[in-house]
């Protein structure tokens, strides 16, 4: 069986490539002209086709979709300083890939990697968001991911596609959690606004297995799934687990005040606008960080995909730290 993967050079995409190869798939990537190599995978294990992701005709011409059994659209933009950039990176490529697939691979199964941000946070600690709740996207990022979901649902071949909304993802090759590990190893925890904020987390290899299930379980066609680990985790527990992985514990914790974060966000946005570089400290990230309960339920994925997370938070944090150390990131 042959899979086409977009976003293979990225964090989630590279773990998906690992999972597909481990399960015996042939893997082809659709790369952009400027894409770096796929980290982790042996160089000759992945076939590469190149096209601009927002150009359906170019995707067809590249031959990327010939004979594929499954299409995994993982590519996306998670950091940008304008709504236009989020849309350009998350909406236009989804439209082009669907249009190209309708011509060349209308019977292939498809998986769109969306995000919890397209659905919105939970209303309270004990009511994690489910797929039945009406979407309430957060920020320009969430809006762009939601728009991509709507394209899939409305498309002529959309009934062959599955939408997966991962919670926050952590694991080897991820850059966002590096500061958490760095601080925690020194016994320090810095909370964005309040420490009483909760999130769902999933370890990248667990998410990758769920994506493969989404493309292969017949009943998953046309469905939407949250994918997350079992535990609702408060930020102090994230730092505590990162500290345990380093053989230490948190001795100094601090809630960064919201006004300070807002100021940093404004500075980040201004810097991005002037330099053209996208910064994580933009107001967009603050919008995503504001809700207290980024919790979702993976009950539907567990039941319908016969999937379950295999990694506890402590195991995942230990594996992540070990990888960061081996790679020289810590
Ligand atoms: N990380 C998380 O916590 C998380 C949570 C929920 C959902 N997601 C979703 O998962 C997907 C992958 O995210 P990720 O965390 O793996 O991000 P990432 O490491 O930044 O990877 C994204 C990949 O998308 C491709 N891409 C396409 N257009 C791009 C552009 N204009 N700029 C930069 N890269 C572009 C690149 O792959 P190529 O070079 O191979 O084209 C890039 O490596 C995204 O759709 C994201 O919305 C991530």
């Amino acid at each position: 069986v042959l899979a086409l993967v977009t976003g293979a050079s990225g964090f989630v995409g590279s773990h998906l490539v690992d999972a597909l190869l481990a399960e015996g798939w042939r893997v082809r990537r659709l790369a952009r002209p400027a894409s770096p190599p796929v980290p982790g995978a042996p160089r000759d294990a992945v076939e590469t086709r190149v096209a601009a992701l927002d150009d359906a005709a170019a995707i067809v011409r590249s031959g990327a979709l010939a004979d594929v059994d499954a299409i995994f659209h993982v590519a996306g933009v998670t950091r940008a300083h304008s709504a236009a950039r989020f849309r350009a990176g998350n909406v236009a490529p989804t439209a082009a890939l669907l249009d190209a697939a309708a011509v060349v691979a209308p019977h292939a199964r498809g998986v769109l990697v969306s995000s919890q941000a397209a659905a919105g946070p939970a209303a309270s600690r004990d009511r994690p968001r489910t797929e039945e709740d009406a979407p309430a996207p957060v920020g320009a990022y969430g809006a762009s991911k939601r728009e991509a979901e709507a394209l899939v649902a409305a498309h002529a071949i959309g009934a062959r596609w599955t939408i997966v909304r991962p919670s926050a993802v952590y694991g080897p090759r991820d850059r966002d959690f590096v500061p958490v590990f760095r601080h925690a190893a020194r016994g320090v925890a810095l909370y964005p606004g309040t420490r009483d904020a909760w999130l769902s987390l999933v370890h990248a290899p667990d998410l990758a297995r769920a994506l493969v299930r989404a493309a292969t379980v017949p009943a998953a066609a046309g469905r939407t799934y949250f994918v997350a680990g079992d535990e609702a985790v408060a930020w102090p527990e994230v730092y505590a687990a990162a500290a345990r992985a380093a053989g230490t514990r948190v001795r100094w914790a601090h809630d960064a005040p919201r006004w300070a974060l807002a100021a940093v966000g404004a500075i980040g946005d201004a810097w991005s606008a002037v330099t053209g570089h996208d910064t994580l400290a933009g107001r967009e990230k603050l919008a995503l960080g504001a809700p207290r309960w980024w919790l979702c339920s993976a009950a539907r994925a567990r039941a319908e995909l016969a999937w379950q997370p295999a990694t506890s938070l402590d195991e995942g944090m230990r594996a992540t730290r070990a990888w960061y150390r081996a790679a020289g990131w810590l």
Side-chain angles (χ1 to χ4, degrees), residues 213-246:
R213 298 289 297 160
T216 46
V217 172
R223 300 284 281 165
T224 297
Y225 300 96
F226 284 111
V227 169
D230 288 326
E231 300 142 292
V233 191
W235 273 105
E237 180 53 18
V238 176
Y239 277 93
R244 281 196 294 276

PDB file of all heavy atoms in Angstrom, residues 213-246:
ATOM      1  N   ARG A 213      -4.598   4.752  11.455  1.00  0.00           N
ATOM      2  CA  ARG A 213      -5.909   4.116  11.672  1.00  0.00           C
ATOM      3  C   ARG A 213      -7.013   4.918  10.961  1.00  0.00           C
ATOM      4  O   ARG A 213      -7.927   4.345  10.361  1.00  0.00           O
ATOM      5  CB  ARG A 213      -6.254   4.027  13.167  1.00  0.00           C
ATOM      6  CG  ARG A 213      -5.308   3.192  14.003  1.00  0.00           C
ATOM      7  CD  ARG A 213      -5.407   1.714  13.732  1.00  0.00           C
ATOM      8  NE  ARG A 213      -6.704   1.164  14.056  1.00  0.00           N
ATOM      9  CZ  ARG A 213      -7.182   0.011  13.569  1.00  0.00           C
ATOM     10  NH1 ARG A 213      -6.440  -0.693  12.727  1.00  0.00           N
ATOM     11  NH2 ARG A 213      -8.371  -0.424  13.913  1.00  0.00           N
ATOM     12  N   ALA A 214      -6.917   6.240  11.030  1.00  0.00           N
ATOM     13  CA  ALA A 214      -7.954   7.089  10.419  1.00  0.00           C
ATOM     14  C   ALA A 214      -8.045   6.853   8.913  1.00  0.00           C
ATOM     15  O   ALA A 214      -9.109   6.986   8.316  1.00  0.00           O
ATOM     16  CB  ALA A 214      -7.664   8.562  10.714  1.00  0.00           C
ATOM     17  N   ALA A 215      -6.903   6.489   8.305  1.00  0.00           N
ATOM     18  CA  ALA A 215      -6.885   6.283   6.850  1.00  0.00           C
ATOM     19  C   ALA A 215      -7.261   4.861   6.458  1.00  0.00           C
ATOM     20  O   ALA A 215      -7.463   4.585   5.272  1.00  0.00           O
ATOM     21  CB  ALA A 215      -5.495   6.612   6.303  1.00  0.00           C
ATOM     22  N   THR A 216      -7.329   3.958   7.428  1.00  0.00           N
ATOM     23  CA  THR A 216      -7.532   2.549   7.079  1.00  0.00           C
ATOM     24  C   THR A 216      -8.838   1.966   7.608  1.00  0.00           C
ATOM     25  O   THR A 216      -9.365   1.020   7.019  1.00  0.00           O
ATOM     26  CB  THR A 216      -6.348   1.687   7.579  1.00  0.00           C
ATOM     27  OG1 THR A 216      -6.033   2.043   8.926  1.00  0.00           O
ATOM     28  CG2 THR A 216      -5.119   1.911   6.716  1.00  0.00           C
ATOM     29  N   VAL A 217      -9.352   2.473   8.703  1.00  0.00           N
ATOM     30  CA  VAL A 217     -10.612   1.944   9.233  1.00  0.00           C
ATOM     31  C   VAL A 217     -11.750   2.412   8.318  1.00  0.00           C
ATOM     32  O   VAL A 217     -11.937   3.625   8.143  1.00  0.00           O
ATOM     33  CB  VAL A 217     -10.845   2.446  10.681  1.00  0.00           C
ATOM     34  CG1 VAL A 217     -12.235   2.068  11.172  1.00  0.00           C
ATOM     35  CG2 VAL A 217      -9.765   1.894  11.604  1.00  0.00           C
ATOM     36  N   PRO A 218     -12.489   1.508   7.701  1.00  0.00           N
ATOM     37  CA  PRO A 218     -13.518   1.926   6.748  1.00  0.00           C
ATOM     38  C   PRO A 218     -14.531   2.911   7.337  1.00  0.00           C
ATOM     39  O   PRO A 218     -14.884   3.899   6.690  1.00  0.00           O
ATOM     40  CB  PRO A 218     -14.195   0.603   6.351  1.00  0.00           C
ATOM     41  CG  PRO A 218     -13.141  -0.443   6.573  1.00  0.00           C
ATOM     42  CD  PRO A 218     -12.342   0.026   7.755  1.00  0.00           C
ATOM     43  N   ALA A 219     -14.964   2.669   8.555  1.00  0.00           N
ATOM     44  CA  ALA A 219     -16.015   3.505   9.143  1.00  0.00           C
ATOM     45  C   ALA A 219     -15.539   4.913   9.490  1.00  0.00           C
ATOM     46  O   ALA A 219     -16.350   5.774   9.838  1.00  0.00           O
ATOM     47  CB  ALA A 219     -16.568   2.828  10.406  1.00  0.00           C
ATOM     48  N   ALA A 220     -14.225   5.165   9.379  1.00  0.00           N
ATOM     49  CA  ALA A 220     -13.710   6.503   9.714  1.00  0.00           C
ATOM     50  C   ALA A 220     -13.895   7.496   8.563  1.00  0.00           C
ATOM     51  O   ALA A 220     -13.734   8.699   8.750  1.00  0.00           O
ATOM     52  CB  ALA A 220     -12.234   6.420  10.098  1.00  0.00           C
ATOM     53  N   ALA A 221     -14.224   6.984   7.362  1.00  0.00           N
ATOM     54  CA  ALA A 221     -14.417   7.881   6.219  1.00  0.00           C
ATOM     55  C   ALA A 221     -15.551   8.853   6.523  1.00  0.00           C
ATOM     56  O   ALA A 221     -16.618   8.456   6.987  1.00  0.00           O
ATOM     57  CB  ALA A 221     -14.719   7.066   4.968  1.00  0.00           C
ATOM     58  N   GLY A 222     -15.315  10.133   6.273  1.00  0.00           N
ATOM     59  CA  GLY A 222     -16.341  11.145   6.495  1.00  0.00           C
ATOM     60  C   GLY A 222     -16.490  11.572   7.949  1.00  0.00           C
ATOM     61  O   GLY A 222     -17.356  12.396   8.260  1.00  0.00           O
ATOM     62  N   ARG A 223     -15.652  11.048   8.841  1.00  0.00           N
ATOM     63  CA  ARG A 223     -15.793  11.341  10.272  1.00  0.00           C
ATOM     64  C   ARG A 223     -14.708  12.313  10.752  1.00  0.00           C
ATOM     65  O   ARG A 223     -13.695  12.529  10.091  1.00  0.00           O
ATOM     66  CB  ARG A 223     -15.674  10.050  11.092  1.00  0.00           C
ATOM     67  CG  ARG A 223     -16.712   9.006  10.752  1.00  0.00           C
ATOM     68  CD  ARG A 223     -18.061   9.334  11.333  1.00  0.00           C
ATOM     69  NE  ARG A 223     -18.158   9.009  12.755  1.00  0.00           N
ATOM     70  CZ  ARG A 223     -19.134   9.481  13.534  1.00  0.00           C
ATOM     71  NH1 ARG A 223     -20.047  10.307  13.042  1.00  0.00           N
ATOM     72  NH2 ARG A 223     -19.199   9.134  14.797  1.00  0.00           N
ATOM     73  N   THR A 224     -14.936  12.856  11.950  1.00  0.00           N
ATOM     74  CA  THR A 224     -13.994  13.769  12.597  1.00  0.00           C
ATOM     75  C   THR A 224     -13.616  13.204  13.967  1.00  0.00           C
ATOM     76  O   THR A 224     -14.495  12.699  14.678  1.00  0.00           O
ATOM     77  CB  THR A 224     -14.630  15.164  12.782  1.00  0.00           C
ATOM     78  OG1 THR A 224     -14.915  15.707  11.485  1.00  0.00           O
ATOM     79  CG2 THR A 224     -13.706  16.124  13.519  1.00  0.00           C
ATOM     80  N   TYR A 225     -12.327  13.277  14.314  1.00  0.00           N
ATOM     81  CA  TYR A 225     -11.865  12.720  15.594  1.00  0.00           C
ATOM     82  C   TYR A 225     -10.897  13.648  16.297  1.00  0.00           C
ATOM     83  O   TYR A 225      -9.935  14.127  15.685  1.00  0.00           O
ATOM     84  CB  TYR A 225     -11.121  11.391  15.363  1.00  0.00           C
ATOM     85  CG  TYR A 225     -11.956  10.333  14.705  1.00  0.00           C
ATOM     86  CD1 TYR A 225     -11.906  10.141  13.320  1.00  0.00           C
ATOM     87  CD2 TYR A 225     -12.812   9.536  15.451  1.00  0.00           C
ATOM     88  CE1 TYR A 225     -12.687   9.178  12.701  1.00  0.00           C
ATOM     89  CE2 TYR A 225     -13.601   8.564  14.844  1.00  0.00           C
ATOM     90  CZ  TYR A 225     -13.533   8.403  13.468  1.00  0.00           C
ATOM     91  OH  TYR A 225     -14.316   7.452  12.864  1.00  0.00           O
ATOM     92  N   PHE A 226     -11.135  13.852  17.587  1.00  0.00           N
ATOM     93  CA  PHE A 226     -10.067  14.389  18.435  1.00  0.00           C
ATOM     94  C   PHE A 226      -9.108  13.256  18.756  1.00  0.00           C
ATOM     95  O   PHE A 226      -9.543  12.118  18.985  1.00  0.00           O
ATOM     96  CB  PHE A 226     -10.636  14.909  19.763  1.00  0.00           C
ATOM     97  CG  PHE A 226     -11.339  16.229  19.658  1.00  0.00           C
ATOM     98  CD1 PHE A 226     -12.713  16.319  19.828  1.00  0.00           C
ATOM     99  CD2 PHE A 226     -10.622  17.391  19.405  1.00  0.00           C
ATOM    100  CE1 PHE A 226     -13.362  17.536  19.743  1.00  0.00           C
ATOM    101  CE2 PHE A 226     -11.269  18.617  19.318  1.00  0.00           C
ATOM    102  CZ  PHE A 226     -12.642  18.693  19.481  1.00  0.00           C
ATOM    103  N   VAL A 227      -7.828  13.564  18.777  1.00  0.00           N
ATOM    104  CA  VAL A 227      -6.838  12.576  19.212  1.00  0.00           C
ATOM    105  C   VAL A 227      -6.007  13.207  20.330  1.00  0.00           C
ATOM    106  O   VAL A 227      -5.385  14.259  20.132  1.00  0.00           O
ATOM    107  CB  VAL A 227      -5.954  12.108  18.047  1.00  0.00           C
ATOM    108  CG1 VAL A 227      -4.760  11.305  18.561  1.00  0.00           C
ATOM    109  CG2 VAL A 227      -6.770  11.264  17.069  1.00  0.00           C
ATOM    110  N   ALA A 228      -6.053  12.573  21.503  1.00  0.00           N
ATOM    111  CA  ALA A 228      -5.362  13.110  22.675  1.00  0.00           C
ATOM    112  C   ALA A 228      -5.051  11.966  23.631  1.00  0.00           C
ATOM    113  O   ALA A 228      -5.673  10.903  23.555  1.00  0.00           O
ATOM    114  CB  ALA A 228      -6.243  14.140  23.385  1.00  0.00           C
ATOM    115  N   GLY A 229      -4.094  12.211  24.524  1.00  0.00           N
ATOM    116  CA  GLY A 229      -3.796  11.235  25.567  1.00  0.00           C
ATOM    117  C   GLY A 229      -4.930  11.172  26.578  1.00  0.00           C
ATOM    118  O   GLY A 229      -5.878  11.954  26.528  1.00  0.00           O
ATOM    119  N   ASP A 230      -4.807  10.235  27.519  1.00  0.00           N
ATOM    120  CA  ASP A 230      -5.889  10.015  28.484  1.00  0.00           C
ATOM    121  C   ASP A 230      -5.999  11.111  29.522  1.00  0.00           C
ATOM    122  O   ASP A 230      -7.082  11.449  29.972  1.00  0.00           O
ATOM    123  CB  ASP A 230      -5.652   8.693  29.225  1.00  0.00           C
ATOM    124  CG  ASP A 230      -5.920   7.519  28.310  1.00  0.00           C
ATOM    125  OD1 ASP A 230      -6.817   7.642  27.462  1.00  0.00           O
ATOM    126  OD2 ASP A 230      -5.231   6.496  28.455  1.00  0.00           O
ATOM    127  N   GLU A 231      -4.824  11.639  29.913  1.00  0.00           N
ATOM    128  CA  GLU A 231      -4.826  12.519  31.079  1.00  0.00           C
ATOM    129  C   GLU A 231      -5.129  13.965  30.716  1.00  0.00           C
ATOM    130  O   GLU A 231      -4.628  14.463  29.717  1.00  0.00           O
ATOM    131  CB  GLU A 231      -3.444  12.484  31.750  1.00  0.00           C
ATOM    132  CG  GLU A 231      -3.043  11.105  32.215  1.00  0.00           C
ATOM    133  CD  GLU A 231      -1.554  10.821  31.999  1.00  0.00           C
ATOM    134  OE1 GLU A 231      -1.135  10.722  30.831  1.00  0.00           O
ATOM    135  OE2 GLU A 231      -0.836  10.701  32.987  1.00  0.00           O
ATOM    136  N   ALA A 232      -5.965  14.622  31.533  1.00  0.00           N
ATOM    137  CA  ALA A 232      -6.034  16.081  31.500  1.00  0.00           C
ATOM    138  C   ALA A 232      -4.895  16.541  32.392  1.00  0.00           C
ATOM    139  O   ALA A 232      -4.791  16.144  33.548  1.00  0.00           O
ATOM    140  CB  ALA A 232      -7.371  16.562  32.049  1.00  0.00           C
ATOM    141  N   VAL A 233      -4.017  17.385  31.843  1.00  0.00           N
ATOM    142  CA  VAL A 233      -2.794  17.727  32.568  1.00  0.00           C
ATOM    143  C   VAL A 233      -2.779  19.225  32.866  1.00  0.00           C
ATOM    144  O   VAL A 233      -2.978  20.037  31.965  1.00  0.00           O
ATOM    145  CB  VAL A 233      -1.548  17.359  31.730  1.00  0.00           C
ATOM    146  CG1 VAL A 233      -0.296  17.469  32.584  1.00  0.00           C
ATOM    147  CG2 VAL A 233      -1.672  15.961  31.161  1.00  0.00           C
ATOM    148  N   ALA A 234      -2.536  19.576  34.129  1.00  0.00           N
ATOM    149  CA  ALA A 234      -2.362  20.986  34.474  1.00  0.00           C
ATOM    150  C   ALA A 234      -0.897  21.356  34.229  1.00  0.00           C
ATOM    151  O   ALA A 234      -0.007  20.509  34.324  1.00  0.00           O
ATOM    152  CB  ALA A 234      -2.732  21.223  35.934  1.00  0.00           C
ATOM    153  N   TRP A 235      -0.646  22.645  33.930  1.00  0.00           N
ATOM    154  CA  TRP A 235       0.732  23.062  33.605  1.00  0.00           C
ATOM    155  C   TRP A 235       1.753  22.679  34.671  1.00  0.00           C
ATOM    156  O   TRP A 235       2.863  22.250  34.338  1.00  0.00           O
ATOM    157  CB  TRP A 235       0.784  24.556  33.293  1.00  0.00           C
ATOM    158  CG  TRP A 235       0.496  24.792  31.842  1.00  0.00           C
ATOM    159  CD1 TRP A 235      -0.648  25.284  31.295  1.00  0.00           C
ATOM    160  CD2 TRP A 235       1.366  24.477  30.736  1.00  0.00           C
ATOM    161  NE1 TRP A 235      -0.548  25.307  29.917  1.00  0.00           N
ATOM    162  CE2 TRP A 235       0.678  24.816  29.554  1.00  0.00           C
ATOM    163  CE3 TRP A 235       2.643  23.947  30.628  1.00  0.00           C
ATOM    164  CZ2 TRP A 235       1.225  24.649  28.284  1.00  0.00           C
ATOM    165  CZ3 TRP A 235       3.202  23.770  29.354  1.00  0.00           C
ATOM    166  CH2 TRP A 235       2.497  24.124  28.211  1.00  0.00           C
ATOM    167  N   PRO A 236       1.404  22.781  35.984  1.00  0.00           N
ATOM    168  CA  PRO A 236       2.414  22.360  36.974  1.00  0.00           C
ATOM    169  C   PRO A 236       2.824  20.902  36.805  1.00  0.00           C
ATOM    170  O   PRO A 236       3.985  20.548  37.041  1.00  0.00           O
ATOM    171  CB  PRO A 236       1.686  22.589  38.306  1.00  0.00           C
ATOM    172  CG  PRO A 236       0.722  23.685  38.013  1.00  0.00           C
ATOM    173  CD  PRO A 236       0.243  23.428  36.613  1.00  0.00           C
ATOM    174  N   GLU A 237       1.895  20.056  36.359  1.00  0.00           N
ATOM    175  CA  GLU A 237       2.228  18.648  36.160  1.00  0.00           C
ATOM    176  C   GLU A 237       3.123  18.461  34.924  1.00  0.00           C
ATOM    177  O   GLU A 237       3.982  17.581  34.898  1.00  0.00           O
ATOM    178  CB  GLU A 237       0.935  17.818  36.056  1.00  0.00           C
ATOM    179  CG  GLU A 237       1.129  16.329  35.850  1.00  0.00           C
ATOM    180  CD  GLU A 237       2.046  15.647  36.878  1.00  0.00           C
ATOM    181  OE1 GLU A 237       2.283  16.217  37.963  1.00  0.00           O
ATOM    182  OE2 GLU A 237       2.549  14.545  36.566  1.00  0.00           O
ATOM    183  N   VAL A 238       2.917  19.307  33.898  1.00  0.00           N
ATOM    184  CA  VAL A 238       3.797  19.240  32.726  1.00  0.00           C
ATOM    185  C   VAL A 238       5.240  19.530  33.157  1.00  0.00           C
ATOM    186  O   VAL A 238       6.180  18.790  32.829  1.00  0.00           O
ATOM    187  CB  VAL A 238       3.358  20.253  31.645  1.00  0.00           C
ATOM    188  CG1 VAL A 238       4.341  20.254  30.469  1.00  0.00           C
ATOM    189  CG2 VAL A 238       1.944  19.942  31.157  1.00  0.00           C
ATOM    190  N   TYR A 239       5.412  20.616  33.939  1.00  0.00           N
ATOM    191  CA  TYR A 239       6.762  20.960  34.412  1.00  0.00           C
ATOM    192  C   TYR A 239       7.303  19.904  35.366  1.00  0.00           C
ATOM    193  O   TYR A 239       8.492  19.555  35.321  1.00  0.00           O
ATOM    194  CB  TYR A 239       6.744  22.333  35.095  1.00  0.00           C
ATOM    195  CG  TYR A 239       6.849  23.473  34.112  1.00  0.00           C
ATOM    196  CD1 TYR A 239       5.703  24.078  33.603  1.00  0.00           C
ATOM    197  CD2 TYR A 239       8.085  23.937  33.691  1.00  0.00           C
ATOM    198  CE1 TYR A 239       5.788  25.118  32.698  1.00  0.00           C
ATOM    199  CE2 TYR A 239       8.192  24.976  32.791  1.00  0.00           C
ATOM    200  CZ  TYR A 239       7.038  25.570  32.298  1.00  0.00           C
ATOM    201  OH  TYR A 239       7.142  26.591  31.394  1.00  0.00           O
ATOM    202  N   ALA A 240       6.412  19.380  36.235  1.00  0.00           N
ATOM    203  CA  ALA A 240       6.871  18.371  37.195  1.00  0.00           C
ATOM    204  C   ALA A 240       7.358  17.132  36.453  1.00  0.00           C
ATOM    205  O   ALA A 240       8.396  16.550  36.808  1.00  0.00           O
ATOM    206  CB  ALA A 240       5.737  18.016  38.155  1.00  0.00           C
ATOM    207  N   ALA A 241       6.634  16.728  35.399  1.00  0.00           N
ATOM    208  CA  ALA A 241       7.038  15.542  34.640  1.00  0.00           C
ATOM    209  C   ALA A 241       8.348  15.802  33.897  1.00  0.00           C
ATOM    210  O   ALA A 241       9.218  14.929  33.825  1.00  0.00           O
ATOM    211  CB  ALA A 241       5.931  15.149  33.661  1.00  0.00           C
ATOM    212  N   ALA A 242       8.493  17.020  33.355  1.00  0.00           N
ATOM    213  CA  ALA A 242       9.753  17.356  32.669  1.00  0.00           C
ATOM    214  C   ALA A 242      10.905  17.367  33.673  1.00  0.00           C
ATOM    215  O   ALA A 242      12.017  16.941  33.360  1.00  0.00           O
ATOM    216  CB  ALA A 242       9.628  18.712  31.968  1.00  0.00           C
ATOM    217  N   ALA A 243      10.641  17.845  34.897  1.00  0.00           N
ATOM    218  CA  ALA A 243      11.686  17.851  35.931  1.00  0.00           C
ATOM    219  C   ALA A 243      12.025  16.420  36.344  1.00  0.00           C
ATOM    220  O   ALA A 243      13.205  16.069  36.467  1.00  0.00           O
ATOM    221  CB  ALA A 243      11.211  18.662  37.141  1.00  0.00           C
ATOM    222  N   ARG A 244      10.995  15.585  36.536  1.00  0.00           N
ATOM    223  CA  ARG A 244      11.260  14.178  36.895  1.00  0.00           C
ATOM    224  C   ARG A 244      12.118  13.499  35.827  1.00  0.00           C
ATOM    225  O   ARG A 244      13.017  12.727  36.144  1.00  0.00           O
ATOM    226  CB  ARG A 244       9.930  13.406  37.039  1.00  0.00           C
ATOM    227  CG  ARG A 244       9.209  13.640  38.358  1.00  0.00           C
ATOM    228  CD  ARG A 244       8.140  12.572  38.603  1.00  0.00           C
ATOM    229  NE  ARG A 244       7.039  12.611  37.660  1.00  0.00           N
ATOM    230  CZ  ARG A 244       5.972  13.399  37.756  1.00  0.00           C
ATOM    231  NH1 ARG A 244       5.869  14.244  38.779  1.00  0.00           N
ATOM    232  NH2 ARG A 244       5.012  13.374  36.854  1.00  0.00           N
ATOM    233  N   ALA A 245      11.832  13.809  34.563  1.00  0.00           N
ATOM    234  CA  ALA A 245      12.608  13.199  33.473  1.00  0.00           C
ATOM    235  C   ALA A 245      14.076  13.595  33.584  1.00  0.00           C
ATOM    236  O   ALA A 245      14.963  12.867  33.141  1.00  0.00           O
ATOM    237  CB  ALA A 245      12.039  13.607  32.114  1.00  0.00           C
ATOM    238  N   ALA A 246      14.336  14.753  34.191  1.00  0.00           N
ATOM    239  CA  ALA A 246      15.719  15.221  34.355  1.00  0.00           C
ATOM    240  C   ALA A 246      16.262  14.839  35.725  1.00  0.00           C
ATOM    241  O   ALA A 246      17.347  15.282  36.113  1.00  0.00           O
ATOM    242  CB  ALA A 246      15.770  16.743  34.169  1.00  0.00           C
TER     243      ALA A 246
END
